[in-house]
Amino acid sequence: MRMLALHLLAASALLADDPAAAAARLANLEAAVKSAQSAGDNAWMLASAALVLMMTGPGLALFYGGLVRRKNVLATMMHSFILMALVSILWAVVGYSIAFGEWTPFFGGGQFALLRNVGPAPNASYAPTISHQTFMIYQLMFAVITPALISGAFAERMKFSGMLLFTALWSLFIYFPLAHMVWGKGGLFNATLGGKLPAFDFAGGTVVHVSSGVSALVCALYLGPRQGYRVEPMRPHNLVLSTVGACLLWVGWFGFNAGSALAASGLASSAFVATHLAAAAASLAWLAVDWIQNGKPSVLGATSGAVAGLVAITPASGFVQPFPAMLIGAAAGVMCYFMVSTVKNKFGYDDSLDAFGVHGAGGTLGAILTGVFATKAVNDVWNGKPMGLVDGNAWQILNQIGACASAWSLAIAGTWIILKICDLATGIRAAAPQEIEGLDLSMHGEEGYNFEA
Amino acid sequence: MKKIEAVIQPHKLEDVKEALKNIGIDGMTISEVRGHGRQKGHKEIYRGMEYQVDLLPKIKIEMVLAEARAEEAIRTILSSARTGKIGDGKIFVFDVAEAIRIRNEDRGEAAL
């Protein structure tokens, strides 16, 4: 320290001789600091974008692929994989502009269509220290995984062409507008950029999980149950794949939540910690209930619990402290267990892989609990004003419920209309013989496991 | 000639193979099969949904022997495959009309 102070003194003495040179050197120094920060943030955000893509493929593809029967493993993995291609193109053409352009509180304008005006220069409104292109590609990865989550509800019975059309329309008319409402400049719920009904959603609890989970329920109800549902056994064909998938989801989620800080900052670390602890608590909570209810602690219970916790912490991850994060996780583990084991059976809908039970229910719970536990001690987005109930702002819970209710309504109405359109245009459900043969052969002409080959 | 078909517990296959080899029998065909007799299946639970699994994995051994060796082979399988619990499996014995070696068209016991 003393050495450094001496050096600085000597430097300032030298500089004092020539104020113009001093100013120039200061300006250079400032630019260098800015560029160093930008490089650090940009590196972290590119890595985060890749982590979030890894959640869809192979993460979700494996998690879902292992849960279906052997004859549908490829078709189910394809529901995730092909969206990595399809949604990316939609995003580049209009999606990014609808979500992050400026226009109305519900729908963005066309200034970023075909990625015009999206270059290396940062967009100061969204992420002032990283390339605008990095921000764009990072947000794309969220648009990819969201419709892939829905596929858990229509697995084993969706027609492939219908699935492509459904996803394209769903992205255009539900996801992109909803992303605009929550994250876009001037969006209805945007808590920091002029929203009328500010709700906290750090990494996409409402946009990603509530919207996909609720849409999943609508799909399950609209399509009806699989052939032989509750008559034939429909056991997961390979829980090894599912376990590997769940682990990749857990790791990828650090990009999803910690990356949502949009910088390699202390806030990213805070979100990383909250995310990890919520997943851990949720896994233990689900496992405990499973053990008590069924006599054995199942591996699928432990992994499903972790995913439920990750879902629930998503909106809260950048606003809550570590212990509330564990509470949110534990609550999600217990609630989602009962959603998939009790509520689903009571109502009889065939949400094949529990997209609604985990993402819809866990996402809604997380969004509401964010209103309880969000605190300025973690992320002071309102310059000292109280944020959640723990800060003394009980009203925030109502805003959170309001944002959830809007996402629920949009998802229910929108998904139903889109399903109706797809049903008329391409058909959405595989014919009974195709479904019985298995979608791998009937839709794709391939088999996941060729034991003779 | 007799055909012996034995359905046994999968974990007993190595013992049975070893015992048969010790009495000089090493020709056999093995398949992984599923089935059940008096042995009840087990319960599996996935996310609270219960499945009763009745068909359990078994190993089927098939071999064709000269009549004189059949009884000895049966005794050997019985002693090496037995655990004493339900689910140990069964042995079926058939008469065989003909056996032909594809390579050189040997027939009868010469083909075994």
Side-chain angles (χ1 to χ4, degrees), chain A residues 96-103 108 111-112 122-130 132 135-136 139 179-180 182-187 190 192-193 260-262:
Chain A
Y96 180 66
S97 203
I98 295 172
F100 290 95
E102 270 177 80
W103 189 26
Q111 62 265 50
F112 301 135
N123 180 315
S125 305
Y126 294 123
T129 62
I130 59 173
H132 193 181
F135 178 77
M136 181 280 295
Q139 296 295 343
H180 180 76
V182 176
W183 293 320
K185 196 172 177 189
N190 194 314
T192 50
L193 292 172
S260 287
L262 298 173

PDB file of all heavy atoms in Angstrom, chain A residues 96-103 108 111-112 122-130 132 135-136 139 179-180 182-187 190 192-193 260-262:
ATOM      1  N   TYR A  96     -36.504 -10.825 -31.517  1.00  0.00           N
ATOM      2  CA  TYR A  96     -35.754  -9.932 -30.640  1.00  0.00           C
ATOM      3  C   TYR A  96     -36.361  -8.537 -30.652  1.00  0.00           C
ATOM      4  O   TYR A  96     -36.454  -7.869 -29.618  1.00  0.00           O
ATOM      5  CB  TYR A  96     -34.274  -9.892 -31.049  1.00  0.00           C
ATOM      6  CG  TYR A  96     -33.472  -8.973 -30.169  1.00  0.00           C
ATOM      7  CD1 TYR A  96     -33.291  -9.269 -28.818  1.00  0.00           C
ATOM      8  CD2 TYR A  96     -32.931  -7.791 -30.669  1.00  0.00           C
ATOM      9  CE1 TYR A  96     -32.585  -8.416 -27.986  1.00  0.00           C
ATOM     10  CE2 TYR A  96     -32.213  -6.932 -29.834  1.00  0.00           C
ATOM     11  CZ  TYR A  96     -32.050  -7.256 -28.505  1.00  0.00           C
ATOM     12  OH  TYR A  96     -31.359  -6.396 -27.682  1.00  0.00           O
ATOM     13  N   SER A  97     -36.815  -8.137 -31.823  1.00  0.00           N
ATOM     14  CA  SER A  97     -37.388  -6.803 -31.949  1.00  0.00           C
ATOM     15  C   SER A  97     -38.716  -6.679 -31.203  1.00  0.00           C
ATOM     16  O   SER A  97     -38.989  -5.673 -30.554  1.00  0.00           O
ATOM     17  CB  SER A  97     -37.567  -6.472 -33.426  1.00  0.00           C
ATOM     18  OG  SER A  97     -37.600  -5.083 -33.600  1.00  0.00           O
ATOM     19  N   ILE A  98     -39.537  -7.737 -31.298  1.00  0.00           N
ATOM     20  CA  ILE A  98     -40.815  -7.708 -30.575  1.00  0.00           C
ATOM     21  C   ILE A  98     -40.556  -7.660 -29.072  1.00  0.00           C
ATOM     22  O   ILE A  98     -41.207  -6.930 -28.328  1.00  0.00           O
ATOM     23  CB  ILE A  98     -41.671  -8.956 -30.914  1.00  0.00           C
ATOM     24  CG1 ILE A  98     -42.074  -8.945 -32.387  1.00  0.00           C
ATOM     25  CG2 ILE A  98     -42.918  -9.012 -30.019  1.00  0.00           C
ATOM     26  CD1 ILE A  98     -42.760 -10.228 -32.845  1.00  0.00           C
ATOM     27  N   ALA A  99     -39.566  -8.415 -28.612  1.00  0.00           N
ATOM     28  CA  ALA A  99     -39.318  -8.495 -27.176  1.00  0.00           C
ATOM     29  C   ALA A  99     -38.597  -7.254 -26.649  1.00  0.00           C
ATOM     30  O   ALA A  99     -38.950  -6.726 -25.596  1.00  0.00           O
ATOM     31  CB  ALA A  99     -38.507  -9.749 -26.857  1.00  0.00           C
ATOM     32  N   PHE A 100     -37.599  -6.774 -27.379  1.00  0.00           N
ATOM     33  CA  PHE A 100     -36.759  -5.714 -26.807  1.00  0.00           C
ATOM     34  C   PHE A 100     -36.797  -4.385 -27.566  1.00  0.00           C
ATOM     35  O   PHE A 100     -36.133  -3.436 -27.180  1.00  0.00           O
ATOM     36  CB  PHE A 100     -35.324  -6.224 -26.638  1.00  0.00           C
ATOM     37  CG  PHE A 100     -35.227  -7.254 -25.538  1.00  0.00           C
ATOM     38  CD1 PHE A 100     -35.297  -8.616 -25.826  1.00  0.00           C
ATOM     39  CD2 PHE A 100     -35.117  -6.864 -24.215  1.00  0.00           C
ATOM     40  CE1 PHE A 100     -35.241  -9.557 -24.807  1.00  0.00           C
ATOM     41  CE2 PHE A 100     -35.063  -7.799 -23.192  1.00  0.00           C
ATOM     42  CZ  PHE A 100     -35.117  -9.152 -23.489  1.00  0.00           C
ATOM     43  N   GLY A 101     -37.593  -4.325 -28.636  1.00  0.00           N
ATOM     44  CA  GLY A 101     -37.798  -3.033 -29.279  1.00  0.00           C
ATOM     45  C   GLY A 101     -38.718  -2.174 -28.416  1.00  0.00           C
ATOM     46  O   GLY A 101     -39.300  -2.645 -27.443  1.00  0.00           O
ATOM     47  N   GLU A 102     -38.835  -0.890 -28.786  1.00  0.00           N
ATOM     48  CA  GLU A 102     -39.710  -0.005 -28.009  1.00  0.00           C
ATOM     49  C   GLU A 102     -40.957   0.328 -28.806  1.00  0.00           C
ATOM     50  O   GLU A 102     -40.873   0.708 -29.971  1.00  0.00           O
ATOM     51  CB  GLU A 102     -38.986   1.321 -27.734  1.00  0.00           C
ATOM     52  CG  GLU A 102     -38.188   1.338 -26.465  1.00  0.00           C
ATOM     53  CD  GLU A 102     -37.449   2.656 -26.330  1.00  0.00           C
ATOM     54  OE1 GLU A 102     -38.086   3.636 -25.920  1.00  0.00           O
ATOM     55  OE2 GLU A 102     -36.254   2.686 -26.667  1.00  0.00           O
ATOM     56  N   TRP A 103     -42.118   0.171 -28.164  1.00  0.00           N
ATOM     57  CA  TRP A 103     -43.345   0.585 -28.848  1.00  0.00           C
ATOM     58  C   TRP A 103     -44.459   0.751 -27.824  1.00  0.00           C
ATOM     59  O   TRP A 103     -44.632   1.818 -27.261  1.00  0.00           O
ATOM     60  CB  TRP A 103     -43.725  -0.437 -29.945  1.00  0.00           C
ATOM     61  CG  TRP A 103     -44.855   0.013 -30.837  1.00  0.00           C
ATOM     62  CD1 TRP A 103     -45.215   1.310 -31.119  1.00  0.00           C
ATOM     63  CD2 TRP A 103     -45.775  -0.810 -31.544  1.00  0.00           C
ATOM     64  NE1 TRP A 103     -46.292   1.327 -31.971  1.00  0.00           N
ATOM     65  CE2 TRP A 103     -46.652   0.050 -32.257  1.00  0.00           C
ATOM     66  CE3 TRP A 103     -45.928  -2.197 -31.674  1.00  0.00           C
ATOM     67  CZ2 TRP A 103     -47.700  -0.442 -33.056  1.00  0.00           C
ATOM     68  CZ3 TRP A 103     -46.964  -2.680 -32.489  1.00  0.00           C
ATOM     69  CH2 TRP A 103     -47.834  -1.804 -33.172  1.00  0.00           C
ATOM     70  N   GLY A 108     -43.101  -4.934 -28.647  1.00  0.00           N
ATOM     71  CA  GLY A 108     -42.012  -4.053 -29.053  1.00  0.00           C
ATOM     72  C   GLY A 108     -42.139  -3.656 -30.517  1.00  0.00           C
ATOM     73  O   GLY A 108     -42.840  -4.306 -31.285  1.00  0.00           O
ATOM     74  N   GLN A 111     -37.590  -1.790 -34.580  1.00  0.00           N
ATOM     75  CA  GLN A 111     -36.252  -1.223 -34.827  1.00  0.00           C
ATOM     76  C   GLN A 111     -35.126  -2.247 -34.835  1.00  0.00           C
ATOM     77  O   GLN A 111     -34.055  -1.961 -35.328  1.00  0.00           O
ATOM     78  CB  GLN A 111     -35.938  -0.069 -33.859  1.00  0.00           C
ATOM     79  CG  GLN A 111     -35.888  -0.420 -32.398  1.00  0.00           C
ATOM     80  CD  GLN A 111     -37.215  -0.144 -31.702  1.00  0.00           C
ATOM     81  OE1 GLN A 111     -38.281  -0.557 -32.154  1.00  0.00           O
ATOM     82  NE2 GLN A 111     -37.171   0.583 -30.605  1.00  0.00           N
ATOM     83  N   PHE A 112     -35.391  -3.449 -34.274  1.00  0.00           N
ATOM     84  CA  PHE A 112     -34.326  -4.476 -34.281  1.00  0.00           C
ATOM     85  C   PHE A 112     -34.646  -5.639 -35.218  1.00  0.00           C
ATOM     86  O   PHE A 112     -33.988  -6.680 -35.169  1.00  0.00           O
ATOM     87  CB  PHE A 112     -34.073  -5.015 -32.873  1.00  0.00           C
ATOM     88  CG  PHE A 112     -33.663  -3.966 -31.872  1.00  0.00           C
ATOM     89  CD1 PHE A 112     -34.231  -3.923 -30.605  1.00  0.00           C
ATOM     90  CD2 PHE A 112     -32.691  -3.028 -32.201  1.00  0.00           C
ATOM     91  CE1 PHE A 112     -33.854  -2.961 -29.677  1.00  0.00           C
ATOM     92  CE2 PHE A 112     -32.306  -2.055 -31.274  1.00  0.00           C
ATOM     93  CZ  PHE A 112     -32.888  -2.026 -30.016  1.00  0.00           C
ATOM     94  N   PRO A 122     -22.711  -1.466 -27.052  1.00  0.00           N
ATOM     95  CA  PRO A 122     -23.706  -1.851 -26.037  1.00  0.00           C
ATOM     96  C   PRO A 122     -25.004  -1.070 -26.187  1.00  0.00           C
ATOM     97  O   PRO A 122     -25.025   0.049 -26.686  1.00  0.00           O
ATOM     98  CB  PRO A 122     -23.016  -1.489 -24.725  1.00  0.00           C
ATOM     99  CG  PRO A 122     -21.579  -1.351 -25.035  1.00  0.00           C
ATOM    100  CD  PRO A 122     -21.499  -0.904 -26.463  1.00  0.00           C
ATOM    101  N   ASN A 123     -26.104  -1.692 -25.765  1.00  0.00           N
ATOM    102  CA  ASN A 123     -27.369  -0.986 -25.660  1.00  0.00           C
ATOM    103  C   ASN A 123     -27.496  -0.524 -24.211  1.00  0.00           C
ATOM    104  O   ASN A 123     -27.661  -1.331 -23.296  1.00  0.00           O
ATOM    105  CB  ASN A 123     -28.515  -1.938 -26.023  1.00  0.00           C
ATOM    106  CG  ASN A 123     -29.870  -1.251 -25.938  1.00  0.00           C
ATOM    107  OD1 ASN A 123     -30.153  -0.539 -24.978  1.00  0.00           O
ATOM    108  ND2 ASN A 123     -30.693  -1.464 -26.938  1.00  0.00           N
ATOM    109  N   ALA A 124     -27.416   0.792 -24.014  1.00  0.00           N
ATOM    110  CA  ALA A 124     -27.302   1.330 -22.653  1.00  0.00           C
ATOM    111  C   ALA A 124     -28.516   1.003 -21.790  1.00  0.00           C
ATOM    112  O   ALA A 124     -28.408   0.856 -20.584  1.00  0.00           O
ATOM    113  CB  ALA A 124     -27.082   2.830 -22.717  1.00  0.00           C
ATOM    114  N   SER A 125     -29.708   0.879 -22.388  1.00  0.00           N
ATOM    115  CA  SER A 125     -30.901   0.620 -21.580  1.00  0.00           C
ATOM    116  C   SER A 125     -30.864  -0.763 -20.960  1.00  0.00           C
ATOM    117  O   SER A 125     -31.353  -0.973 -19.856  1.00  0.00           O
ATOM    118  CB  SER A 125     -32.159   0.696 -22.436  1.00  0.00           C
ATOM    119  OG  SER A 125     -32.224   1.921 -23.082  1.00  0.00           O
ATOM    120  N   TYR A 126     -30.331  -1.729 -21.688  1.00  0.00           N
ATOM    121  CA  TYR A 126     -30.409  -3.110 -21.217  1.00  0.00           C
ATOM    122  C   TYR A 126     -29.138  -3.573 -20.517  1.00  0.00           C
ATOM    123  O   TYR A 126     -29.203  -4.138 -19.424  1.00  0.00           O
ATOM    124  CB  TYR A 126     -30.745  -4.046 -22.383  1.00  0.00           C
ATOM    125  CG  TYR A 126     -32.114  -3.801 -22.943  1.00  0.00           C
ATOM    126  CD1 TYR A 126     -32.314  -3.492 -24.278  1.00  0.00           C
ATOM    127  CD2 TYR A 126     -33.237  -3.877 -22.105  1.00  0.00           C
ATOM    128  CE1 TYR A 126     -33.587  -3.267 -24.779  1.00  0.00           C
ATOM    129  CE2 TYR A 126     -34.514  -3.648 -22.592  1.00  0.00           C
ATOM    130  CZ  TYR A 126     -34.691  -3.337 -23.940  1.00  0.00           C
ATOM    131  OH  TYR A 126     -35.932  -3.116 -24.426  1.00  0.00           O
ATOM    132  N   ALA A 127     -28.014  -3.416 -21.168  1.00  0.00           N
ATOM    133  CA  ALA A 127     -26.771  -3.914 -20.592  1.00  0.00           C
ATOM    134  C   ALA A 127     -25.634  -3.039 -21.084  1.00  0.00           C
ATOM    135  O   ALA A 127     -25.083  -3.267 -22.153  1.00  0.00           O
ATOM    136  CB  ALA A 127     -26.546  -5.362 -21.010  1.00  0.00           C
ATOM    137  N   PRO A 128     -25.284  -2.004 -20.292  1.00  0.00           N
ATOM    138  CA  PRO A 128     -24.353  -0.980 -20.771  1.00  0.00           C
ATOM    139  C   PRO A 128     -22.915  -1.446 -20.952  1.00  0.00           C
ATOM    140  O   PRO A 128     -22.125  -0.740 -21.560  1.00  0.00           O
ATOM    141  CB  PRO A 128     -24.435   0.110 -19.693  1.00  0.00           C
ATOM    142  CG  PRO A 128     -25.034  -0.542 -18.501  1.00  0.00           C
ATOM    143  CD  PRO A 128     -25.861  -1.674 -18.983  1.00  0.00           C
ATOM    144  N   THR A 129     -22.559  -2.612 -20.412  1.00  0.00           N
ATOM    145  CA  THR A 129     -21.146  -2.984 -20.514  1.00  0.00           C
ATOM    146  C   THR A 129     -20.861  -4.127 -21.482  1.00  0.00           C
ATOM    147  O   THR A 129     -19.713  -4.527 -21.641  1.00  0.00           O
ATOM    148  CB  THR A 129     -20.575  -3.394 -19.134  1.00  0.00           C
ATOM    149  OG1 THR A 129     -21.289  -4.541 -18.686  1.00  0.00           O
ATOM    150  CG2 THR A 129     -20.705  -2.271 -18.131  1.00  0.00           C
ATOM    151  N   ILE A 130     -21.883  -4.694 -22.104  1.00  0.00           N
ATOM    152  CA  ILE A 130     -21.607  -5.811 -23.019  1.00  0.00           C
ATOM    153  C   ILE A 130     -22.099  -5.479 -24.416  1.00  0.00           C
ATOM    154  O   ILE A 130     -22.959  -4.620 -24.603  1.00  0.00           O
ATOM    155  CB  ILE A 130     -22.269  -7.136 -22.547  1.00  0.00           C
ATOM    156  CG1 ILE A 130     -23.788  -6.994 -22.434  1.00  0.00           C
ATOM    157  CG2 ILE A 130     -21.657  -7.593 -21.247  1.00  0.00           C
ATOM    158  CD1 ILE A 130     -24.508  -8.284 -22.142  1.00  0.00           C
ATOM    159  N   HIS A 132     -24.137  -5.411 -27.652  1.00  0.00           N
ATOM    160  CA  HIS A 132     -25.573  -5.585 -27.864  1.00  0.00           C
ATOM    161  C   HIS A 132     -25.854  -6.973 -28.442  1.00  0.00           C
ATOM    162  O   HIS A 132     -26.848  -7.613 -28.122  1.00  0.00           O
ATOM    163  CB  HIS A 132     -26.081  -4.482 -28.804  1.00  0.00           C
ATOM    164  CG  HIS A 132     -27.584  -4.370 -28.846  1.00  0.00           C
ATOM    165  ND1 HIS A 132     -28.242  -3.458 -29.631  1.00  0.00           N
ATOM    166  CD2 HIS A 132     -28.561  -5.060 -28.204  1.00  0.00           C
ATOM    167  CE1 HIS A 132     -29.552  -3.596 -29.476  1.00  0.00           C
ATOM    168  NE2 HIS A 132     -29.771  -4.551 -28.624  1.00  0.00           N
ATOM    169  N   PHE A 135     -26.003  -9.490 -25.651  1.00  0.00           N
ATOM    170  CA  PHE A 135     -27.294  -9.413 -24.973  1.00  0.00           C
ATOM    171  C   PHE A 135     -28.368 -10.121 -25.787  1.00  0.00           C
ATOM    172  O   PHE A 135     -29.168 -10.907 -25.264  1.00  0.00           O
ATOM    173  CB  PHE A 135     -27.676  -7.942 -24.758  1.00  0.00           C
ATOM    174  CG  PHE A 135     -29.018  -7.767 -24.097  1.00  0.00           C
ATOM    175  CD1 PHE A 135     -29.171  -7.979 -22.738  1.00  0.00           C
ATOM    176  CD2 PHE A 135     -30.135  -7.398 -24.844  1.00  0.00           C
ATOM    177  CE1 PHE A 135     -30.407  -7.836 -22.123  1.00  0.00           C
ATOM    178  CE2 PHE A 135     -31.372  -7.246 -24.238  1.00  0.00           C
ATOM    179  CZ  PHE A 135     -31.508  -7.468 -22.872  1.00  0.00           C
ATOM    180  N   MET A 136     -28.359  -9.869 -27.103  1.00  0.00           N
ATOM    181  CA  MET A 136     -29.360 -10.457 -27.994  1.00  0.00           C
ATOM    182  C   MET A 136     -29.261 -11.986 -27.994  1.00  0.00           C
ATOM    183  O   MET A 136     -30.256 -12.686 -27.856  1.00  0.00           O
ATOM    184  CB  MET A 136     -29.165  -9.872 -29.398  1.00  0.00           C
ATOM    185  CG  MET A 136     -30.123 -10.356 -30.454  1.00  0.00           C
ATOM    186  SD  MET A 136     -29.739 -11.970 -31.159  1.00  0.00           S
ATOM    187  CE  MET A 136     -28.186 -11.607 -31.986  1.00  0.00           C
ATOM    188  N   GLN A 139     -30.404 -13.542 -24.633  1.00  0.00           N
ATOM    189  CA  GLN A 139     -31.860 -13.579 -24.475  1.00  0.00           C
ATOM    190  C   GLN A 139     -32.501 -14.616 -25.395  1.00  0.00           C
ATOM    191  O   GLN A 139     -33.534 -15.191 -25.074  1.00  0.00           O
ATOM    192  CB  GLN A 139     -32.467 -12.191 -24.747  1.00  0.00           C
ATOM    193  CG  GLN A 139     -32.020 -11.118 -23.755  1.00  0.00           C
ATOM    194  CD  GLN A 139     -32.496 -11.393 -22.337  1.00  0.00           C
ATOM    195  OE1 GLN A 139     -33.410 -12.192 -22.108  1.00  0.00           O
ATOM    196  NE2 GLN A 139     -31.875 -10.750 -21.366  1.00  0.00           N
ATOM    197  N   ALA A 179     -42.097 -11.472 -23.007  1.00  0.00           N
ATOM    198  CA  ALA A 179     -40.731 -11.034 -22.697  1.00  0.00           C
ATOM    199  C   ALA A 179     -40.663  -9.509 -22.763  1.00  0.00           C
ATOM    200  O   ALA A 179     -40.012  -8.858 -21.946  1.00  0.00           O
ATOM    201  CB  ALA A 179     -39.736 -11.659 -23.672  1.00  0.00           C
ATOM    202  N   HIS A 180     -41.382  -8.922 -23.732  1.00  0.00           N
ATOM    203  CA  HIS A 180     -41.405  -7.463 -23.824  1.00  0.00           C
ATOM    204  C   HIS A 180     -42.044  -6.841 -22.581  1.00  0.00           C
ATOM    205  O   HIS A 180     -41.542  -5.871 -22.021  1.00  0.00           O
ATOM    206  CB  HIS A 180     -42.166  -7.017 -25.072  1.00  0.00           C
ATOM    207  CG  HIS A 180     -42.226  -5.529 -25.211  1.00  0.00           C
ATOM    208  ND1 HIS A 180     -41.149  -4.773 -25.630  1.00  0.00           N
ATOM    209  CD2 HIS A 180     -43.218  -4.642 -24.929  1.00  0.00           C
ATOM    210  CE1 HIS A 180     -41.482  -3.493 -25.612  1.00  0.00           C
ATOM    211  NE2 HIS A 180     -42.720  -3.391 -25.193  1.00  0.00           N
ATOM    212  N   VAL A 182     -42.221  -7.933 -19.581  1.00  0.00           N
ATOM    213  CA  VAL A 182     -41.458  -8.053 -18.345  1.00  0.00           C
ATOM    214  C   VAL A 182     -40.069  -7.415 -18.445  1.00  0.00           C
ATOM    215  O   VAL A 182     -39.597  -6.792 -17.502  1.00  0.00           O
ATOM    216  CB  VAL A 182     -41.351  -9.537 -17.925  1.00  0.00           C
ATOM    217  CG1 VAL A 182     -40.472  -9.689 -16.684  1.00  0.00           C
ATOM    218  CG2 VAL A 182     -42.740 -10.095 -17.639  1.00  0.00           C
ATOM    219  N   TRP A 183     -39.413  -7.558 -19.588  1.00  0.00           N
ATOM    220  CA  TRP A 183     -38.026  -7.090 -19.688  1.00  0.00           C
ATOM    221  C   TRP A 183     -37.830  -5.943 -20.678  1.00  0.00           C
ATOM    222  O   TRP A 183     -36.815  -5.259 -20.629  1.00  0.00           O
ATOM    223  CB  TRP A 183     -37.114  -8.241 -20.135  1.00  0.00           C
ATOM    224  CG  TRP A 183     -36.978  -9.343 -19.137  1.00  0.00           C
ATOM    225  CD1 TRP A 183     -36.865  -9.210 -17.786  1.00  0.00           C
ATOM    226  CD2 TRP A 183     -36.923 -10.746 -19.414  1.00  0.00           C
ATOM    227  NE1 TRP A 183     -36.739 -10.452 -17.210  1.00  0.00           N
ATOM    228  CE2 TRP A 183     -36.766 -11.409 -18.181  1.00  0.00           C
ATOM    229  CE3 TRP A 183     -36.973 -11.517 -20.590  1.00  0.00           C
ATOM    230  CZ2 TRP A 183     -36.672 -12.796 -18.084  1.00  0.00           C
ATOM    231  CZ3 TRP A 183     -36.870 -12.897 -20.477  1.00  0.00           C
ATOM    232  CH2 TRP A 183     -36.726 -13.528 -19.239  1.00  0.00           C
ATOM    233  N   GLY A 184     -38.751  -5.755 -21.609  1.00  0.00           N
ATOM    234  CA  GLY A 184     -38.559  -4.752 -22.653  1.00  0.00           C
ATOM    235  C   GLY A 184     -38.686  -3.347 -22.096  1.00  0.00           C
ATOM    236  O   GLY A 184     -39.380  -3.110 -21.095  1.00  0.00           O
ATOM    237  N   LYS A 185     -38.030  -2.384 -22.747  1.00  0.00           N
ATOM    238  CA  LYS A 185     -38.100  -0.990 -22.295  1.00  0.00           C
ATOM    239  C   LYS A 185     -39.539  -0.509 -22.451  1.00  0.00           C
ATOM    240  O   LYS A 185     -40.120  -0.584 -23.531  1.00  0.00           O
ATOM    241  CB  LYS A 185     -37.162  -0.144 -23.142  1.00  0.00           C
ATOM    242  CG  LYS A 185     -36.869   1.191 -22.513  1.00  0.00           C
ATOM    243  CD  LYS A 185     -35.783   1.924 -23.275  1.00  0.00           C
ATOM    244  CE  LYS A 185     -35.576   3.295 -22.662  1.00  0.00           C
ATOM    245  NZ  LYS A 185     -34.689   4.108 -23.494  1.00  0.00           N
ATOM    246  N   GLY A 186     -40.124  -0.030 -21.341  1.00  0.00           N
ATOM    247  CA  GLY A 186     -41.512   0.422 -21.370  1.00  0.00           C
ATOM    248  C   GLY A 186     -42.521  -0.698 -21.249  1.00  0.00           C
ATOM    249  O   GLY A 186     -43.724  -0.479 -21.338  1.00  0.00           O
ATOM    250  N   GLY A 187     -42.063  -1.926 -21.048  1.00  0.00           N
ATOM    251  CA  GLY A 187     -42.979  -3.058 -20.896  1.00  0.00           C
ATOM    252  C   GLY A 187     -43.836  -2.907 -19.641  1.00  0.00           C
ATOM    253  O   GLY A 187     -43.399  -2.317 -18.652  1.00  0.00           O
ATOM    254  N   ASN A 190     -42.229  -4.081 -16.368  1.00  0.00           N
ATOM    255  CA  ASN A 190     -40.797  -3.862 -16.174  1.00  0.00           C
ATOM    256  C   ASN A 190     -40.532  -3.010 -14.929  1.00  0.00           C
ATOM    257  O   ASN A 190     -40.952  -1.867 -14.843  1.00  0.00           O
ATOM    258  CB  ASN A 190     -40.183  -3.201 -17.410  1.00  0.00           C
ATOM    259  CG  ASN A 190     -38.685  -3.278 -17.383  1.00  0.00           C
ATOM    260  OD1 ASN A 190     -38.068  -2.995 -16.360  1.00  0.00           O
ATOM    261  ND2 ASN A 190     -38.097  -3.680 -18.489  1.00  0.00           N
ATOM    262  N   THR A 192     -37.732  -1.817 -13.737  1.00  0.00           N
ATOM    263  CA  THR A 192     -36.675  -0.807 -13.750  1.00  0.00           C
ATOM    264  C   THR A 192     -36.734   0.126 -14.952  1.00  0.00           C
ATOM    265  O   THR A 192     -36.136   1.184 -14.947  1.00  0.00           O
ATOM    266  CB  THR A 192     -35.287  -1.467 -13.735  1.00  0.00           C
ATOM    267  OG1 THR A 192     -35.256  -2.454 -14.765  1.00  0.00           O
ATOM    268  CG2 THR A 192     -34.999  -2.120 -12.403  1.00  0.00           C
ATOM    269  N   LEU A 193     -37.447  -0.268 -15.999  1.00  0.00           N
ATOM    270  CA  LEU A 193     -37.463   0.564 -17.200  1.00  0.00           C
ATOM    271  C   LEU A 193     -38.868   1.071 -17.517  1.00  0.00           C
ATOM    272  O   LEU A 193     -39.376   0.904 -18.621  1.00  0.00           O
ATOM    273  CB  LEU A 193     -36.887  -0.210 -18.402  1.00  0.00           C
ATOM    274  CG  LEU A 193     -35.385  -0.541 -18.347  1.00  0.00           C
ATOM    275  CD1 LEU A 193     -34.995  -1.465 -19.476  1.00  0.00           C
ATOM    276  CD2 LEU A 193     -34.553   0.727 -18.407  1.00  0.00           C
ATOM    277  N   SER A 260     -28.281 -13.600 -15.569  1.00  0.00           N
ATOM    278  CA  SER A 260     -29.281 -12.545 -15.674  1.00  0.00           C
ATOM    279  C   SER A 260     -28.848 -11.258 -14.987  1.00  0.00           C
ATOM    280  O   SER A 260     -29.520 -10.230 -15.104  1.00  0.00           O
ATOM    281  CB  SER A 260     -30.631 -13.023 -15.127  1.00  0.00           C
ATOM    282  OG  SER A 260     -31.200 -13.932 -16.053  1.00  0.00           O
ATOM    283  N   ALA A 261     -27.735 -11.282 -14.255  1.00  0.00           N
ATOM    284  CA  ALA A 261     -27.168 -10.036 -13.733  1.00  0.00           C
ATOM    285  C   ALA A 261     -26.619  -9.206 -14.888  1.00  0.00           C
ATOM    286  O   ALA A 261     -26.357  -8.018 -14.746  1.00  0.00           O
ATOM    287  CB  ALA A 261     -26.059 -10.347 -12.732  1.00  0.00           C
ATOM    288  N   LEU A 262     -26.411  -9.844 -16.045  1.00  0.00           N
ATOM    289  CA  LEU A 262     -25.907  -9.207 -17.262  1.00  0.00           C
ATOM    290  C   LEU A 262     -24.514  -8.617 -17.086  1.00  0.00           C
ATOM    291  O   LEU A 262     -24.084  -7.749 -17.831  1.00  0.00           O
ATOM    292  CB  LEU A 262     -26.876  -8.131 -17.771  1.00  0.00           C
ATOM    293  CG  LEU A 262     -28.261  -8.665 -18.155  1.00  0.00           C
ATOM    294  CD1 LEU A 262     -29.213  -7.521 -18.476  1.00  0.00           C
ATOM    295  CD2 LEU A 262     -28.163  -9.625 -19.334  1.00  0.00           C
TER     296      LEU A 262
END
